Amino acid sequence: MRDPSCNLFKDLEGEKFLRMKNTIINLILATDMKHHFKMQSKMRSMSNEKKAEEVKGGSSGRQQVEMEILIHSADLANQGLVWSISSVWADRVCDEFQAQAESETKLGLPVAPFMRGLEKPTGRAKLQMSFIDAILVPWWDLVRTVMSSKLVEKICENLGKNRKRYSEVKDDKTALSKLKF
């Protein structure tokens, strides 16, 4: 933003610039899982519609909440993609968790239980099933009630299919991304 030729917001002044800046910051923060259950609660209120006015939080109101839900949903969509894509992303996430666990172990820090055993396909499958069951299915079922579409239906369908594939991992001899069903 110091280089005027790169400043997308150069024509926004004062209050408009601050609103845009705050909107972008809040959208970035919406991808943080520490806000997940709070957003899920807001979405539940929206789905009931009787509390729509209570959903307004902060100066941006309902529109900001809806944008945050969309961004968070996009962030949680990879296990709702077709297996050939979702399994690759799952492996990448597990690799990242595994590397973090190794670093924490070397530093003498406690390792989160869900980050242990990810060097094995059964450990990775268990992690993904738990994430699908505890986080993704409740989230996407709620998204379906608020903004039903063919895309949301397909994501929900793929979550079920991918969860079934993970449940069929019975041994540690096959990499998850190599499974073909």
Side-chain angles (χ1 to χ4, degrees):
M1 295 202 357
R2 289 185 182 108
D3 180 349
S5 67
C6 297
N7 185 354
L8 298 173
F9 309 112
K10 65 182 175 226
D11 295 329
L12 295 178
E13 296 178 9
E15 182 63 29
K16 287 183 180 181
F17 174 79
L18 289 176
R19 273 197 320 244
M20 179 61 74
K21 178 182 170 186
N22 288 333
T23 296
I24 292 169
I25 289 169
N26 288 328
L27 291 174
I28 292 167
L29 292 175
T31 64
D32 190 330
M33 284 301 291
K34 77 178 183 180
H35 303 295
H36 175 79
F37 293 106
K38 182 179 174 184
M39 274 194 286
Q40 193 165 322
S41 177
K42 287 180 180 180
M43 191 169 30
R44 192 170 292 110
S45 294
M46 289 170 68
S47 73
N48 293 335
E49 298 237 330
K50 62 184 175 190
K51 296 183 179 181
E53 287 302 313
E54 291 177 28
V55 171
K56 291 186 177 180
S59 61
S60 304
R62 185 180 171 106
Q63 185 178 19
Q64 178 70 33
V65 172
E66 290 170 344
M67 288 188 295
E68 290 171 7
I69 288 168
L70 286 171
I71 292 292
H72 190 62
S73 296
D75 202 39
L76 294 177
N78 75 28
Q79 280 302 315
L81 301 174
V82 295
W83 179 256
S84 62
I85 299 170
S86 68
S87 62
V88 172
W89 280 108
D91 274 342
R92 289 176 180 169
V93 168
C94 288
D95 289 345
E96 182 179 330
F97 286 166
Q98 190 176 354
Q100 180 178 335
E102 289 169 5
S103 294
E104 290 172 348
T105 299
K106 287 178 185 174
L107 293 171
L109 298 171
V111 176
F114 72 89
M115 291 189 186
R116 294 188 184 122
L118 298 180
E119 67 280 356
K120 300 175 185 175
T122 52
R124 290 177 178 226
K126 181 180 175 187
L127 176 68
Q128 292 305 318
M129 287 187 297
S130 296
F131 190 63
I132 289 169
D133 293 345
I135 302 294
L136 299 180
V137 168
W139 178 264
W140 284 102
D141 282 348
L142 198 50
V143 169
R144 187 186 319 192
T145 67
V146 174
M147 53 183 94
S148 185
S149 70
K150 288 181 182 180
L151 175 62
V152 172
E153 291 302 321
K154 191 65 176 168
I155 288 169
C156 292
E157 179 185 325
N158 285 338
L159 281 174
K161 288 178 180 179
N162 293 340
R163 205 270 183 218
K164 183 178 185 312
R165 288 181 175 162
Y166 288 118
S167 73
E168 294 175 0
V169 175
K170 304 293 184 201
D171 61 46
D172 292 322
K173 294 181 176 130
T174 307
L176 295 177
S177 60
K178 303 287 186 203
L179 291 175
K180 303 290 182 214
F181 292 90

